[in-house]
Amino acid sequence: MGYKSILTVLTRSQTTLLDSAIAMTRRQDAHLDVFCLGVDHTQSGYYYAGASAYVFQESIDKAMTDASALEAEVRAHLAAQDIRWSVDSAVAQVGGLSTLVGMRARYADLVVLNLPYAQDATPDAEAVTEAALFEGTAPVLIVPQTLDKPCGKKILIAWDQSNEALNAVRRAMPLLQAADAVEITVVDPSPSNPERAEPGAALCQMLVRQGIKAEIAVLARTLPQISDILSRRVIEIGADMVVMGAYGHSRFRQAFLGGATRNMLQKAEVPILMAH
Protein backbone atom coordinates (compact mmCIF):
# COMPACT_ATOMS: atom_id res chain seq x y z
CA MET A 1 0.00 0.00 0.00
CA GLY A 2 1.30 3.44 -0.93
CA TYR A 3 0.28 6.92 -1.96
CA LYS A 4 -0.88 6.76 -5.56
CA SER A 5 -2.59 10.17 -5.83
CA ILE A 6 -0.60 13.13 -4.52
CA LEU A 7 -1.92 16.68 -4.54
CA THR A 8 -0.25 20.03 -4.09
CA VAL A 9 -1.99 23.41 -4.12
CA LEU A 10 -0.26 26.55 -5.38
CA THR A 11 -1.51 30.12 -4.99
CA ARG A 12 1.63 31.69 -6.42
CA SER A 13 4.93 30.60 -7.96
CA GLN A 14 6.41 28.14 -5.43
CA THR A 15 9.09 26.14 -7.18
CA THR A 16 10.42 24.70 -3.93
CA LEU A 17 7.03 23.26 -2.96
CA LEU A 18 6.45 21.94 -6.47
CA ASP A 19 9.85 20.22 -6.47
CA SER A 20 9.06 18.66 -3.08
CA ALA A 21 5.78 17.27 -4.44
CA ILE A 22 7.60 15.95 -7.52
CA ALA A 23 10.20 14.21 -5.34
CA MET A 24 7.54 12.52 -3.21
CA THR A 25 5.58 11.51 -6.30
CA ARG A 26 8.66 9.95 -7.83
CA ARG A 27 9.45 7.97 -4.67
CA GLN A 28 5.91 6.67 -4.41
CA ASP A 29 5.54 6.00 -8.16
CA ALA A 30 2.36 8.05 -7.91
CA HIS A 31 0.39 10.56 -9.96
CA LEU A 32 0.83 14.24 -9.10
CA ASP A 33 -2.14 16.61 -9.29
CA VAL A 34 -1.22 20.29 -9.16
CA PHE A 35 -4.04 22.71 -8.39
CA CYS A 36 -3.24 26.33 -9.27
CA LEU A 37 -5.47 28.84 -7.50
CA GLY A 38 -6.16 32.46 -8.23
CA VAL A 39 -7.64 33.99 -5.07
CA ASP A 40 -9.95 36.99 -5.08
CA HIS A 41 -9.41 38.85 -1.79
CA THR A 42 -12.12 41.44 -2.41
CA GLN A 43 -13.89 42.60 0.75
CA SER A 44 -17.13 44.19 -0.43
CA GLY A 45 -17.87 45.88 2.89
CA TYR A 46 -14.98 48.29 2.42
CA TYR A 47 -16.33 49.90 -0.77
CA TYR A 48 -18.96 52.60 -1.23
CA ALA A 49 -22.25 51.77 -2.88
CA GLY A 50 -21.94 51.27 -6.60
CA ALA A 51 -18.21 50.61 -6.57
CA SER A 52 -18.51 46.92 -5.71
CA ALA A 53 -19.29 45.71 -9.23
CA TYR A 54 -16.20 47.40 -10.70
CA VAL A 55 -13.94 46.21 -7.89
CA PHE A 56 -15.27 42.65 -8.10
CA GLN A 57 -14.73 42.44 -11.84
CA GLU A 58 -11.23 43.86 -11.67
CA SER A 59 -10.26 41.57 -8.82
CA ILE A 60 -11.70 38.47 -10.50
CA ASP A 61 -9.97 39.34 -13.78
CA LYS A 62 -6.65 39.64 -11.96
CA ALA A 63 -7.20 36.33 -10.15
CA MET A 64 -7.99 34.60 -13.45
CA THR A 65 -4.87 36.05 -15.07
CA ASP A 66 -2.73 34.97 -12.10
CA ALA A 67 -4.16 31.44 -12.16
CA SER A 68 -3.61 31.05 -15.91
CA ALA A 69 -0.04 32.36 -15.71
CA LEU A 70 0.72 30.04 -12.78
CA GLU A 71 -0.74 27.04 -14.62
CA ALA A 72 1.41 27.77 -17.67
CA GLU A 73 4.51 28.06 -15.50
CA VAL A 74 3.77 24.78 -13.72
CA ARG A 75 3.13 22.93 -17.00
CA ALA A 76 6.48 24.12 -18.36
CA HIS A 77 8.22 22.96 -15.19
CA LEU A 78 6.54 19.55 -15.16
CA ALA A 79 7.13 18.88 -18.85
CA ALA A 80 10.73 17.95 -18.13
CA GLN A 81 9.88 15.58 -15.26
CA ASP A 82 9.74 11.77 -15.42
CA ILE A 83 6.49 11.42 -13.47
CA ARG A 84 2.77 11.20 -14.24
CA TRP A 85 1.11 14.54 -13.67
CA SER A 86 -1.88 16.76 -14.35
CA VAL A 87 -2.49 20.45 -13.77
CA ASP A 88 -5.71 22.36 -13.27
CA SER A 89 -6.50 25.93 -12.25
CA ALA A 90 -9.45 27.78 -10.77
CA VAL A 91 -10.43 31.08 -9.21
CA ALA A 92 -11.94 31.32 -5.76
CA GLN A 93 -13.00 34.06 -3.39
CA VAL A 94 -11.60 33.84 0.10
CA GLY A 95 -14.86 32.51 1.51
CA GLY A 96 -14.99 29.65 -0.99
CA LEU A 97 -11.38 28.61 -0.69
CA SER A 98 -11.95 25.87 1.89
CA THR A 99 -14.68 24.13 -0.10
CA LEU A 100 -12.71 24.22 -3.35
CA VAL A 101 -9.49 22.87 -1.82
CA GLY A 102 -11.37 20.38 0.34
CA MET A 103 -13.09 18.82 -2.68
CA ARG A 104 -9.72 18.23 -4.33
CA ALA A 105 -8.01 16.98 -1.19
CA ARG A 106 -10.67 14.42 -0.29
CA TYR A 107 -9.70 12.32 -3.34
CA ALA A 108 -5.94 12.51 -2.73
CA ASP A 109 -3.92 9.95 -0.79
CA LEU A 110 -1.51 12.67 0.34
CA VAL A 111 -1.38 16.45 0.12
CA VAL A 112 2.04 18.14 0.04
CA LEU A 113 2.17 21.74 1.30
CA ASN A 114 4.59 24.30 2.75
CA LEU A 115 4.70 25.59 6.32
CA PRO A 116 1.49 27.61 6.75
CA TYR A 117 2.78 29.80 9.60
CA ALA A 118 6.29 30.56 8.38
CA GLN A 119 7.34 34.18 7.89
CA ASP A 120 7.48 33.73 4.10
CA ALA A 121 4.22 31.76 3.87
CA THR A 122 1.65 32.80 1.28
CA PRO A 123 -1.39 34.75 2.59
CA ASP A 124 -3.68 31.79 1.96
CA ALA A 125 -1.37 29.02 3.20
CA GLU A 126 -3.17 28.56 6.51
CA ALA A 127 -6.60 28.34 4.85
CA VAL A 128 -5.33 25.82 2.28
CA THR A 129 -3.73 23.62 4.96
CA GLU A 130 -6.81 23.60 7.18
CA ALA A 131 -9.07 22.93 4.19
CA ALA A 132 -7.04 19.86 3.26
CA LEU A 133 -7.09 18.58 6.85
CA PHE A 134 -10.70 19.33 7.80
CA GLU A 135 -12.79 19.58 4.62
CA GLY A 136 -10.66 17.11 2.66
CA THR A 137 -9.91 14.80 5.64
CA ALA A 138 -6.60 14.07 3.92
CA PRO A 139 -3.16 13.50 5.42
CA VAL A 140 -0.95 16.52 4.81
CA LEU A 141 2.83 16.40 4.48
CA ILE A 142 4.22 19.78 5.49
CA VAL A 143 7.65 20.41 3.99
CA PRO A 144 9.75 23.26 5.43
CA GLN A 145 12.25 22.89 2.61
CA THR A 146 12.63 21.01 -0.63
CA LEU A 147 12.79 17.22 -0.46
CA ASP A 148 16.08 17.10 -2.34
CA LYS A 149 17.40 14.42 -0.02
CA PRO A 150 15.72 11.25 1.24
CA CYS A 151 13.48 11.69 4.27
CA GLY A 152 11.52 9.20 6.30
CA LYS A 153 14.47 6.98 7.17
CA LYS A 154 14.01 7.68 10.88
CA ILE A 155 10.54 8.85 11.88
CA LEU A 156 9.39 10.28 15.19
CA ILE A 157 5.73 9.71 16.11
CA ALA A 158 4.39 12.33 18.53
CA TRP A 159 2.05 10.10 20.53
CA ASP A 160 -0.55 11.45 22.96
CA GLN A 161 -3.18 8.68 22.72
CA SER A 162 -5.55 10.99 20.81
CA ASN A 163 -7.76 10.04 17.89
CA GLU A 164 -5.92 12.61 15.77
CA ALA A 165 -2.53 11.03 16.52
CA LEU A 166 -3.81 7.53 15.76
CA ASN A 167 -5.33 8.70 12.48
CA ALA A 168 -2.01 10.30 11.52
CA VAL A 169 -0.20 7.03 12.22
CA ARG A 170 -2.64 5.06 10.08
CA ARG A 171 -2.31 7.57 7.23
CA ALA A 172 1.50 7.47 7.50
CA MET A 173 1.69 3.68 7.30
CA PRO A 174 3.41 3.55 3.85
CA LEU A 175 6.16 5.83 5.13
CA LEU A 176 6.46 4.02 8.47
CA GLN A 177 6.82 0.65 6.74
CA ALA A 178 9.60 2.03 4.54
CA ALA A 179 11.50 3.63 7.45
CA ASP A 180 14.66 2.17 8.93
CA ALA A 181 13.56 3.08 12.46
CA VAL A 182 10.51 4.60 14.16
CA GLU A 183 10.36 6.12 17.63
CA ILE A 184 7.05 6.55 19.45
CA THR A 185 7.70 9.63 21.57
CA VAL A 186 5.44 10.19 24.57
CA VAL A 187 5.84 13.44 26.51
CA ASP A 188 4.73 13.63 30.14
CA PRO A 189 1.94 11.02 29.97
CA SER A 190 -0.91 11.45 32.43
CA PRO A 191 -1.26 8.70 35.09
CA SER A 192 -4.94 8.47 34.16
CA ASN A 193 -4.34 8.01 30.43
CA PRO A 194 -5.99 4.94 28.82
CA GLU A 195 -2.64 3.16 28.46
CA ARG A 196 -1.78 3.70 32.14
CA ALA A 197 1.65 2.30 33.03
CA GLU A 198 2.63 1.45 29.45
CA PRO A 199 2.13 4.54 27.29
CA GLY A 200 2.73 3.75 23.63
CA ALA A 201 2.88 -0.03 24.15
CA ALA A 202 -0.31 -0.85 22.24
CA LEU A 203 0.71 1.37 19.32
CA CYS A 204 4.18 -0.16 19.26
CA GLN A 205 2.67 -3.65 19.13
CA MET A 206 0.41 -2.61 16.25
CA LEU A 207 3.36 -1.23 14.29
CA VAL A 208 5.65 -4.19 14.95
CA ARG A 209 2.97 -6.52 13.61
CA GLN A 210 3.17 -4.48 10.40
CA GLY A 211 6.88 -5.21 10.17
CA ILE A 212 7.87 -1.73 11.39
CA LYS A 213 10.98 -1.33 13.52
CA ALA A 214 9.43 0.68 16.36
CA GLU A 215 10.49 1.56 19.88
CA ILE A 216 9.13 3.81 22.64
CA ALA A 217 10.65 6.83 24.38
CA VAL A 218 8.83 8.40 27.35
CA LEU A 219 10.07 11.91 28.08
CA ALA A 220 9.57 14.21 31.04
CA ARG A 221 8.17 17.67 30.45
CA THR A 222 11.36 19.71 30.86
CA LEU A 223 10.30 22.66 28.68
CA PRO A 224 7.13 24.78 28.78
CA GLN A 225 5.91 23.75 25.33
CA ILE A 226 5.45 20.20 24.05
CA SER A 227 6.56 21.35 20.62
CA ASP A 228 9.94 22.44 22.00
CA ILE A 229 10.48 19.01 23.56
CA LEU A 230 9.56 17.28 20.31
CA SER A 231 11.83 19.56 18.27
CA ARG A 232 14.73 18.85 20.61
CA ARG A 233 14.06 15.12 20.43
CA VAL A 234 14.08 15.25 16.62
CA ILE A 235 17.63 16.61 16.79
CA GLU A 236 18.75 14.17 19.51
CA ILE A 237 17.80 11.04 17.57
CA GLY A 238 18.46 12.40 14.09
CA ALA A 239 14.86 12.01 12.94
CA ASP A 240 14.11 13.29 9.44
CA MET A 241 10.30 13.23 9.68
CA VAL A 242 7.59 13.70 12.30
CA VAL A 243 4.14 12.10 12.33
CA MET A 244 1.56 13.74 14.58
CA GLY A 245 -2.12 14.48 14.95
CA ALA A 246 -3.33 17.94 13.92
CA TYR A 247 -5.40 20.33 16.00
CA GLY A 248 -6.37 18.29 19.03
CA HIS A 249 -7.81 21.59 20.32
CA SER A 250 -9.99 23.89 18.24
CA ARG A 251 -8.35 26.03 15.56
CA PHE A 252 -9.84 29.11 17.22
CA ARG A 253 -8.16 28.28 20.51
CA GLN A 254 -4.82 27.53 18.85
CA ALA A 255 -4.94 30.77 16.88
CA PHE A 256 -5.07 32.80 20.11
CA LEU A 257 -3.45 30.60 22.74
CA GLY A 258 -1.14 28.45 20.66
CA GLY A 259 -0.86 24.68 20.67
CA ALA A 260 1.41 21.84 19.62
CA THR A 261 0.13 21.90 16.03
CA ARG A 262 0.59 25.61 15.46
CA ASN A 263 3.91 25.76 17.29
CA MET A 264 5.35 22.84 15.33
CA LEU A 265 4.23 24.38 12.05
CA GLN A 266 5.92 27.67 12.90
CA LYS A 267 9.42 26.30 13.35
CA ALA A 268 9.61 22.81 11.84
CA GLU A 269 12.95 21.90 10.29
CA VAL A 270 11.94 18.43 9.04
CA PRO A 271 8.83 17.32 7.13
CA ILE A 272 5.73 16.73 9.28
CA LEU A 273 2.91 14.41 8.27
CA MET A 274 -0.31 15.48 9.95
CA ALA A 275 -3.90 14.24 9.98
CA HIS A 276 -6.96 15.24 11.96
Side-chain angles (χ1 to χ4, degrees):
M1 181 182 70
Y3 305 113
K4 293 306 177 185
S5 295
I6 295 178
L7 169 71
T8 191
V9 181
L10 305 179
T11 55
R12 72 180 185 194
S13 180
Q14 294 171 279
T15 303
T16 298
L17 173 58
L18 183 56
D19 286 339
S20 297
I22 290 170
M24 180 57 67
T25 300
R26 186 177 291 116
R27 290 175 201 171
Q28 294 291 319
D29 188 25
H31 182 103
L32 175 63
D33 293 308
V34 183
F35 191 32
C36 302
L37 269 177
V39 183
D40 173 14
H41 293 95
T42 303
Q43 300 291 332
S44 58
Y46 291 94
Y47 301 103
Y48 60 84
S52 297
Y54 296 101
V55 174
F56 284 159
Q57 189 60 53
E58 182 179 355
S59 182
I60 290 173
D61 288 346
K62 183 181 184 304
M64 291 177 65
T65 300
D66 291 344
S68 297
L70 181 57
E71 180 180 352
E73 178 184 336
V74 170
R75 287 185 180 277
H77 189 82
L78 290 172
Q81 304 298 325
D82 59 341
I83 61 169
R84 299 181 297 278
W85 57 270
S86 60
V87 182
D88 195 9
S89 63
V91 172
Q93 290 187 313
V94 175
L97 190 63
S98 293
T99 300
L100 194 58
V101 173
M103 285 298 294
R104 296 296 180 119
R106 69 187 303 184
Y107 299 109
D109 297 323
L110 181 69
V111 181
V112 179
L113 299 173
N114 273 151
L115 285 171
Y117 304 120
Q119 292 183 348
D120 60 346
T122 63
D124 306 294
E126 181 179 359
V128 169
T129 301
E130 293 186 356
L133 285 168
F134 289 88
E135 276 71 34
T137 63
V140 177
L141 181 65
I142 303 293
V143 287
Q145 56 200 8
T146 184
L147 295 177
D148 56 356
K149 59 182 180 180
C151 66
K153 294 297 183 183
K154 186 157 191 175
I155 300 177
L156 182 150
I157 297 175
W159 182 242
D160 61 359
Q161 299 92 38
S162 67
N163 291 334
E164 292 82 7
L166 181 58
N167 191 32
V169 170
R170 293 188 187 280
R171 297 300 192 94
M173 200 62 72
L175 297 173
L176 296 173
Q177 290 173 327
D180 293 335
V182 173
E183 178 178 288
I184 302 167
T185 304
V186 187
V187 179
D188 190 26
S190 169
S192 60
N193 76 81
E195 297 176 325
R196 301 193 179 183
E198 298 181 320
L203 177 63
C204 187
Q205 181 184 69
M206 183 185 85
L207 296 181
V208 169
R209 287 175 177 173
Q210 291 285 343
I212 297 168
K213 305 176 185 66
E215 58 184 20
I216 305 169
V218 180
L219 309 179
R221 185 161 187 165
T222 55
L223 294 171
Q225 295 184 333
I226 298 294
S227 58
D228 290 334
I229 300 173
L230 293 174
S231 297
R232 185 176 64 182
R233 186 61 177 174
V234 165
I235 297 173
E236 289 175 348
I237 68 173
D240 53 20
M241 182 178 290
V242 173
V243 172
M244 63 182 294
Y247 298 103
H249 298 295
S250 72
R251 287 169 285 176
F252 181 82
R253 175 180 173 181
Q254 293 218 19
F256 286 93
L257 302 179
T261 302
R262 191 178 185 92
N263 293 335
M264 287 294 290
L265 293 182
Q266 285 176 330
K267 52 196 173 186
E269 296 183 359
V270 299
I272 302 177
L273 188 142
M274 289 185 162
H276 180 70

